[in-house]
Structure formats: structure tokens, C-alpha cells
Amino acid sequence: MDDPGNGGHAALVQLQAYLAQMDHAGETRLPAERELSESLGVSRGDLRKALAVLEKDGRIWRHVGRGTFVGSGPVEETIGISEIAGRTNPADVMRARLIIEPEIAREAALHATLSDIASMRQSLVQTREAVTWRQYENIDNLLHRQIAQASRNNVLLGLFDVLNAVRRTVVWGRLRSEGARPPADHHSFADHERIVEAIAERDLGGAAAAMRLHLQQVERRLIPVREAAE
């Protein structure tokens, strides 16, 4: 799969989750570009990058005058994500994250470059500036992927991408009761800063522990909300 860059990757993950939901519903045609970008909470430019990646991979196809459709070619990844998501739940996803992501953070502390750390710190600033939950979640997703990229391990990065796509599918559309945007004291702000600081300090154990603590806090907040909605 081609790399759409940091700007397009959040849109790609969102689009993959959306396609998996479409697969459950038996739908094949994507909404118009403007409608889809608004639904996913991404820019039209980033959406086009994501669509181009999926088209090149054979997972969608375009018909002039009719629209964009989910393809019938090499769609193994989308189908796999959909099938996994259909057999899992938020608790299973969080257990998997708790196994994998602390070790990814450990590897990032060992291998991250100064450029990697600068990108992470930029994302930290952007999470605090997010004006909607959707915008925050896109930047949060980007930060976690930046950490995975900094591990310099393509197997771990691939595992992260699949797990992240399943996570987005399982919790898609989850309602939040905390307001229109993250509050100023949102727990993830400080959690993320501790993770990035440990990575910058080459503190392998500290990075893993900070990521584990962050995910445990996310788990405590996510699971009750999800169960109450079901």
C-alpha cells in the first residue's frame, strides 16, 4: 500500500473503517466526495489521497458519471477488518491494544529520530487545539501512528494499522457526552505528553509504562460508555 503521508493517513484509516461498515450493510456505492469528507471529518484533499490509495490497491473503483464503488478485486484487508470487527467488541480491542501498543512505544523510545519526536510534539499541540471531537480523534490517531512509525519496525506498524482500523470500525459513531470538543483537562493530553517525553528521553520502560497507563484510562472510559449504548 502506498503511504499517503501523515495528512492523508487519518483519512485513510477513517475511510477503511467506513468501508468495513458499508460491507456489513451490503452497500457498494460511496457517497459524494463532499458528503463523505464531512462524514469522516477530514478535508477533501486528504480524502482524495485516501481514495487514490484504495483505488490503486483495487479496493474501490470509479465509474465516470456514476460515482465511486467498493471494488470486487483484491479487497482482502477491508474484508478481513470487517470480519474481525464483526466478531469482536471494544473490550477485546482494548486488550489487544494493551498487549501491542506499550511495546511499540518501547521500540519508539529506542529508534525515534529527532524528526519523529518533533512531529509527535506538533501533534500534541494540535490535539489541544482541536475544536471538535472528530478533529481530536483524527489527530489522536495520527499521534499513535507516528509512535508506531518511530518504532522502525514494519511488522509492528502493519499490526498497528490493522488493529487501529478494527478499533475505528468497532467504536464508529460512539456518542460522547462531554460536549462538542475535548475539555481543557482531558486526561489524554497529559497522558500523551508523558508518552512523548519518555520517548524523547530514550526511556524505554517509561514509554511502555506511560502508554499502558494511557490505554488503561481509555479503557475505563470507553467500555462503560459503549456498554450503556448497547
Side-chain angles (χ1 to χ4, degrees):
M1 179 184 297
D2 287 353
D3 186 352
N6 285 344
H9 187 77
L12 180 59
V13 172
Q14 293 276 41
L15 184 57
Q16 286 174 321
Y18 187 90
L19 290 179
Q21 292 283 24
M22 286 184 66
D23 185 68
H24 284 314
E27 299 171 351
T28 60
R29 183 175 178 176
L30 293 175
E33 195 174 273
R34 181 186 299 275
E35 179 184 347
L36 185 58
S37 66
E38 291 176 354
S39 177
L40 299 180
V42 300
S43 72
R44 293 181 71 176
D46 286 345
L47 175 61
R48 290 190 189 107
K49 293 178 185 177
L51 289 169
V53 170
L54 295 187
E55 183 177 20
K56 186 171 182 179
D57 287 351
R59 285 179 283 175
I60 62 172
W61 59 280
R62 303 175 197 242
H63 189 292
V64 177
R66 292 183 56 195
T68 302
F69 299 83
V70 178
S72 58
V75 296
E76 293 84 2
E77 184 177 345
T78 298
I79 292 174
I81 289 169
S82 176
E83 290 177 348
I84 293 169
R87 297 194 301 268
T88 193
N89 56 66
D92 286 347
V93 172
M94 287 307 309
R95 281 193 290 271
R97 293 188 71 190
L98 280 162
I99 291 169
I100 294 173
E101 290 195 54
E103 295 310 310
I104 288 177
R106 184 190 301 274
E107 289 297 303
L110 182 61
H111 297 289
T113 66
L114 293 178
S115 177
D116 291 329
I117 294 167
S119 295
M120 293 176 205
R121 285 176 168 156
Q122 182 179 13
S123 293
L124 291 177
V125 173
Q126 291 174 341
T127 58
R128 288 186 178 272
E129 294 175 345
V131 297
T132 67
W133 275 108
R134 180 69 72 201
Q135 184 180 26
Y136 166 79
E137 288 166 353
N138 285 339
I139 302 168
D140 171 76
N141 173 73
L142 174 59
L143 174 61
H144 279 264
R145 192 174 195 273
Q146 287 170 336
I147 293 169
Q149 286 177 309
S151 74
R152 294 295 182 272
N153 185 312
N154 287 330
V155 175
L156 288 177
L157 180 59
L159 288 171
F160 172 85
D161 282 342
V162 171
L163 177 57
N164 199 36
V166 171
R167 174 180 71 87
R168 286 301 186 103
T169 304
V170 169
V171 303
W172 181 264
R174 181 170 61 91
L175 296 177
R176 292 183 178 272
S177 59
E178 302 96 325
R181 61 181 295 177
D185 61 350
H186 184 49
H187 73 94
S188 287
F189 295 152
D191 290 354
H192 287 155
E193 287 167 358
R194 281 190 288 268
I195 294 166
V196 173
E197 186 59 29
I199 291 172
E201 293 294 325
R202 308 298 180 187
D203 182 355
L204 279 65
M211 180 65 80
R212 185 173 296 106
L213 178 62
H214 168 56
L215 294 175
Q216 287 170 339
Q217 293 213 66
V218 171
E219 181 180 35
R220 285 194 293 271
R221 289 165 170 80
L222 171 65
I223 304 303
V225 170
R226 184 69 182 184
E227 290 177 345
E230 293 177 344

